[in-house]
Amino acid sequence: MTASLRARRLVAGAAATGLLGGGAALGLSGTATAAPAPASTVTSVATVGHHHDKCEWKKGHWEKEWVKGHWEKKRVVHKTWHKGHHDKHGNWHKGHWEFKVTYKWVYVPAHWEKVWVKGHWDCKHR
């Protein structure tokens, strides 16, 4: 099984090397043959139905958003300290914290909240 894995890796490496070399050669040949088109060639581009003529990139940013009042489940942690003590055999047991987690429904009144808006294209229509 290891021999077949090695063979597959060798074949994949050779294929990747060939593709990279071929792509570089193709890129160089494309720049050498790039010449201006003859003046008699007519090319027309139809812009009928093109609604997005002015698009600009809006970077991501923080924005304030109004959030209505709502109920939400809130996590409540109860901590209790248990003191150390000697048991009936005279052995000492160290003190320790005990944590209990419960949930409680609380009403959160309406408020402003900052939210992150991802970057996006903003296109103006004609």
Side-chain angles (χ1 to χ4, degrees):
M1 181 154 190
T2 58
S4 64
L5 182 63
R6 287 181 186 158
R8 280 188 273 162
R9 285 185 181 163
L10 180 65
V11 169
T17 304
L19 286 174
L20 287 174
L26 183 64
L28 291 175
S29 68
T31 56
T33 59
S40 64
T41 305
V42 178
T43 58
S44 64
V45 177
T47 58
V48 177
H50 183 66
H51 297 290
H52 307 291
D53 57 343
K54 291 187 178 182
C55 291
E56 65 176 304
W57 177 252
K58 297 283 188 174
K59 293 191 319 184
H61 60 279
W62 287 100
E63 193 171 88
K64 284 173 49 174
E65 180 180 274
W66 182 252
V67 180
K68 298 188 308 184
H70 58 278
W71 288 91
E72 67 181 35
K73 202 180 228 185
K74 185 173 181 169
R75 183 173 182 238
V76 180
V77 179
H78 301 282
K79 296 191 298 185
T80 306
W81 174 252
H82 295 279
K83 296 191 315 185
H85 66 280
H86 289 284
D87 63 6
K88 62 182 177 181
H89 301 289
N91 297 326
W92 176 252
H93 296 276
K94 298 189 311 184
H96 64 279
W97 283 102
E98 180 182 6
F99 297 96
K100 288 188 179 175
V101 177
T102 59
Y103 293 91
K104 177 176 152 182
W105 285 98
V106 295
Y107 183 76
V108 179
H111 60 280
W112 287 99
E113 194 171 275
K114 283 192 173 182
V115 294
W116 178 254
V117 179
K118 293 194 293 187
H120 59 279
W121 285 102
D122 185 22
C123 296
K124 307 286 187 217
H125 296 288
R126 281 188 187 180

